[in-house]
Amino acid sequence: MARSPTSQRLAETAIRLFNERGYDETTVDDIAARAGVSRSTFFRYYRSKEEVIFPDHDALLAKVEARLRASTADTAIVAICDAVRIVLAHYVEDAEVSLRRYRLVGRVPALRHREIASVARYQRLFREYVGDWLAGTPDAALRAELMASSVVAAHNQVLRGWLRAGGSYDPFEPLDHALQYVIRTFRHLENLEGPGDDQVVVAAFPRSASPDDVMDAIRAHLGSRQ
Amino acid sequence: MARSPTSQRLAETAIRLFNERGYDETTVDDIAARAGVSRSTFFRYYRSKEEVIFPDHDALLAKVEARLRASTADTAIVAICDAVRIVLAHYVEDAEVSLRRYRLVGRVPALRHREIASVARYQRLFREYVGDWLAGTPDAALRAELMASSVVAAHNQVLRGWLRAGGSYDPFEPLDHALQYVIRTFRHLENLEGPGDDQVVVAAFPRSASPDDVMDAIRAHLGSRQ
DNA sequence: GAATGCTGTGAGACTCAGTATCGTACGCTT
DNA sequence: AAGCGTACGATACTGAGTCTCACAGCATTC
C-alpha cells in the first residue's frame, strides 16, 4: 500500500502551489501540469482537489478502529487512550506535512470544513465504541456522546497547541495530561460501576458538614471494609 | 430582517425538489425555473446551493452569542444552559422544517459536512466564552475545550434523538437531563475553585491504601480547615 | 413631465471542479 | 510475436459559482 511516486509527486506539487499562489488561485490543471501529468491522472489519484491535502485519513481511521476493536470492556479506557495516541502519533510522524497543512487549513475555509468533517468521523467512531461498551447502562447513548466528544476535544486541543507552536516539543506529555482530565470525566460519568483501578473516590458531603461529621461518616464507611 | 417572499419561495421550492428528485439530481436551474426566477436571482439570495437548506444559522449564532455576552462569570453555567436552550428552541419552533432538513441531511454527504461545520462554529463560540471565563486558571484552554465540546455534544444528542423520533415529544426535559451531566462535568473540571454549592469532594486514594492511611490523610487535610 | 439615480432582475459569457468515454502506448505473460 | 491488462492522455460534457452588462420599475428633484 506504499503510495505511488506519481501520487506523492502530485501531493507535493499541490501543497507547494497552494502555498505559493493560494488554494483558490491554484487550479487542478496547474497542479497536473507542474507535476508533469494530465488532469485525468490527477483525478485518478485524488477524487477531489481537497483530497490531495488529506491523503490517508481513511487508513488512519482504520488503524484507530482496529485498536478499539482489539479490546474488551475491561480495557476500554486504555484502548481509547491508545487510539488517541495513534492519531497524534500520525501527525507527529509527518510533522513537516502536518505543519504545512495546518497553516493552509487555517487560511482556506473549504479545507477547514473538510478537516472538521473528518474529525467528526473519529468522534463517531469513538461514540459507537463507547456506546457498545456502555450498552445496557442508563443514558448509554448520551454518555457515549459526551465521552467521545471529550476524547476528541482533548486530542484536538493538544494537537492544535503543538501545531501552533510549530511542532517544537513532544506533545505526548500534554496529551497524557489532557487525557487525565478525560479519564476523570469518564470515571465521573461512569460512576455506576464504581471507581477505577487505582483510585477510590471516598465521599462527598454537604459543605455545611463539620469536619467531625465528615470523619464520622468516613469511619463508618471504612468500617465495612476492614 | 423579515425574509423576502422571493427568498422564501426559493427555499421552499428547493426543499420540495430535493425531496422529490434528490439533491444531486436537482440543479440550481431547476430550482430557479420552478420558483419562477432566473438563475442569477437564486445566487443573489443564496451564495450556494447548500445554503438554501441552512438559512438562518448566522442569526441563531448571533442570538447565542448575545445570550452568552449578557452574563458575568457568576452566572456562566446558567448562561451556557440558556444558550443551549435557545438553540434547541430554534429547531423546535420550526419542527416541520427541521425534520425535513434532518432527513435530507442524513442522505446527502455534502449537506452533512455543511451541518457539521456549522456545529463547529457553535462549539467555537462556547469555547471562547468558557475560555474567557476560566482565563488565568490552570489548563484554561484545555478545560474550555472540554466543556464546550460537552455542551455541544449534549445538545446534539438530545436534538438527534428528538429528530429521529419525528419531533414527537418535548425535548426540553431530556435536554435538562443531559445538561445535568454536563454541569456535573463542569463542576468536576472546575474543581480548582472548589467544588460546587452543596458538595465537597474530599479525597481520592490508591486502592491499596489501608483505611488507616486514608484516615490519617483526611485528618491531616481537615486539620487545616478547623 | 422629463431628467436623474437607485434597486432588483434577467441574460449571457466565463472559469473551473468533477465525470465519463475512448483511444493508445507500455510492460508483462505465454 | 501475439495477446492482454494497466496506466495514461485527450476530449467532451455537466453543473456550480462569478462577473458584467443591460433594462425595467420606481422614487426624487428641478
Side-chain angles (χ1 to χ4, degrees):
Chain A
M1 199 69 176
R3 283 224 298 280
S4 81
T6 307
S7 140
Q8 194 79 25
R9 202 176 149 63
L10 276 169
E12 283 169 14
T13 310
I15 292 186
R16 187 167 336 120
L17 285 176
F18 290 161
N19 279 322
E20 283 175 14
R21 312 184 192 172
Y23 180 79
D24 287 325
E25 289 69 29
T26 306
T27 71
V28 173
D29 279 301
D30 294 336
I31 303 169
R34 184 95 145 228
V37 299
S38 78
R39 214 175 86 96
S40 308
T41 299
F42 177 93
F43 283 109
R44 238 171 235 123
Y45 283 97
Y46 301 99
R47 272 174 306 190
S48 74
K49 182 179 166 185
E50 292 172 2
E51 201 182 284
V52 76
I53 307 289
F54 306 100
D56 29 33
H57 259 133
D58 286 337
L60 183 54
L61 208 62
K63 262 166 81 177
V64 171
E65 187 171 7
R67 177 60 190 90
L68 290 180
R69 281 196 198 286
S71 80
T72 62
D74 314 352
T75 60
I77 289 185
V78 177
I80 289 169
C81 292
D82 269 11
V84 173
R85 285 194 201 95
I86 288 175
V87 177
L88 185 63
H90 180 263
Y91 285 90
V92 174
E93 275 169 26
D94 261 336
E96 199 67 28
V97 174
S98 299
L99 284 167
R100 271 200 308 229
R101 179 168 52 207
Y102 172 68
R103 292 185 201 111
L104 208 53
V105 167
R107 289 197 308 259
V108 183
L111 298 179
R112 205 160 42 241
H113 289 175
R114 173 103 186 192
E115 174 134 292
I116 290 169
S118 77
V119 168
R121 294 175 65 192
Y122 290 97
Q123 184 159 336
R124 181 198 173 106
L125 196 60
F126 282 112
R127 170 162 43 91
E128 285 170 356
Y129 174 72
V130 176
D132 289 347
W133 170 33
L134 298 180
T137 68
D139 292 322
L142 173 58
R143 290 185 300 145
E145 182 90 41
L146 289 170
M147 291 184 184
S149 83
S150 294
V151 169
V152 170
H155 170 272
N156 286 347
Q157 215 276 334
V158 172
L159 175 61
R160 267 208 309 273
W162 180 73
L163 288 169
R164 258 202 301 271
S168 58
Y169 56 84
D170 173 22
F172 285 95
E173 195 173 330
L175 180 66
D176 284 340
H177 180 68
L179 285 176
Q180 286 306 314
Y181 278 100
V182 175
I183 290 171
R184 271 188 276 160
T185 305
F186 273 34
R187 292 262 157 77
H188 193 248
L189 288 172
E190 190 193 1
N191 59 10
L192 296 160
E193 303 163 38
D197 293 322
D198 57 359
Q199 289 206 334
V200 178
V201 172
V202 173
F205 296 91
R207 184 160 251 170
S208 57
S210 74
D212 281 345
D213 292 338
V214 175
M215 296 306 290
D216 286 343
I218 293 174
R219 191 174 296 118
H221 190 264
L222 285 176
S224 68
R225 259 185 87 200
Q226 311 226 45
Chain B
M1 201 68 181
R3 283 223 298 279
S4 82
T6 306
S7 141
Q8 194 79 27
R9 201 176 149 64
L10 276 169
E12 284 169 13
T13 309
I15 293 187
R16 187 166 338 120
L17 284 177
F18 290 161
N19 279 323
E20 282 175 15
R21 310 183 192 175
Y23 180 80
D24 287 325
E25 289 69 31
T26 305
T27 71
V28 173
D29 280 300
D30 294 337
I31 303 169
R34 182 94 146 228
V37 298
S38 76
R39 214 175 89 95
S40 308
T41 299
F42 178 92
F43 282 109
R44 241 173 233 122
Y45 284 98
Y46 300 99
R47 272 173 306 189
S48 73
K49 183 179 165 186
E50 292 172 5
E51 201 182 286
V52 77
I53 306 288
F54 305 101
D56 30 32
H57 259 134
D58 285 338
L60 183 54
L61 208 62
K63 261 166 82 177
V64 170
E65 188 170 7
R67 177 60 189 92
L68 289 180
R69 282 196 197 287
S71 79
T72 62
D74 314 353
T75 61
I77 289 185
V78 177
I80 289 169
C81 292
D82 269 11
V84 174
R85 284 194 201 97
I86 287 175
V87 177
L88 185 62
H90 179 264
Y91 285 89
V92 173
E93 274 169 27
D94 260 336
E96 199 67 27
V97 174
S98 299
L99 285 166
R100 271 201 308 228
R101 179 167 54 207
Y102 172 68
R103 292 186 200 112
L104 209 52
V105 167
R107 289 199 307 260
V108 182
L111 297 179
R112 204 160 42 241
H113 289 175
R114 173 101 186 196
E115 174 135 292
I116 290 168
S118 78
V119 168
R121 295 175 64 193
Y122 291 97
Q123 183 159 338
R124 181 195 174 109
L125 196 60
F126 282 112
R127 169 162 45 91
E128 285 170 357
Y129 174 72
V130 177
D132 290 347
W133 170 36
L134 298 180
T137 67
D139 291 322
L142 173 59
R143 290 185 299 147
E145 182 90 41
L146 289 170
M147 290 184 185
S149 82
S150 294
V151 170
V152 170
H155 170 271
N156 285 347
Q157 216 275 334
V158 172
L159 175 61
R160 266 208 310 272
W162 180 74
L163 287 169
R164 258 202 302 270
S168 58
Y169 57 84
D170 174 22
F172 284 95
E173 195 175 330
L175 181 66
D176 284 340
H177 179 69
L179 286 176
Q180 285 308 312
Y181 277 99
V182 174
I183 290 171
R184 270 187 278 160
T185 306
F186 273 34
R187 292 258 159 79
H188 193 247
L189 287 172
E190 188 192 5
N191 61 9
L192 295 158
E193 304 163 39
D197 293 322
D198 57 0
Q199 289 207 329
V200 178
V201 173
V202 172
F205 296 91
R207 184 158 251 172
S208 58
S210 74
D212 281 345
D213 292 339
V214 175
M215 295 307 290
D216 287 343
I218 294 174
R219 192 174 296 118
H221 192 264
L222 285 175
S224 66
R225 259 185 86 201
Q226 310 227 41

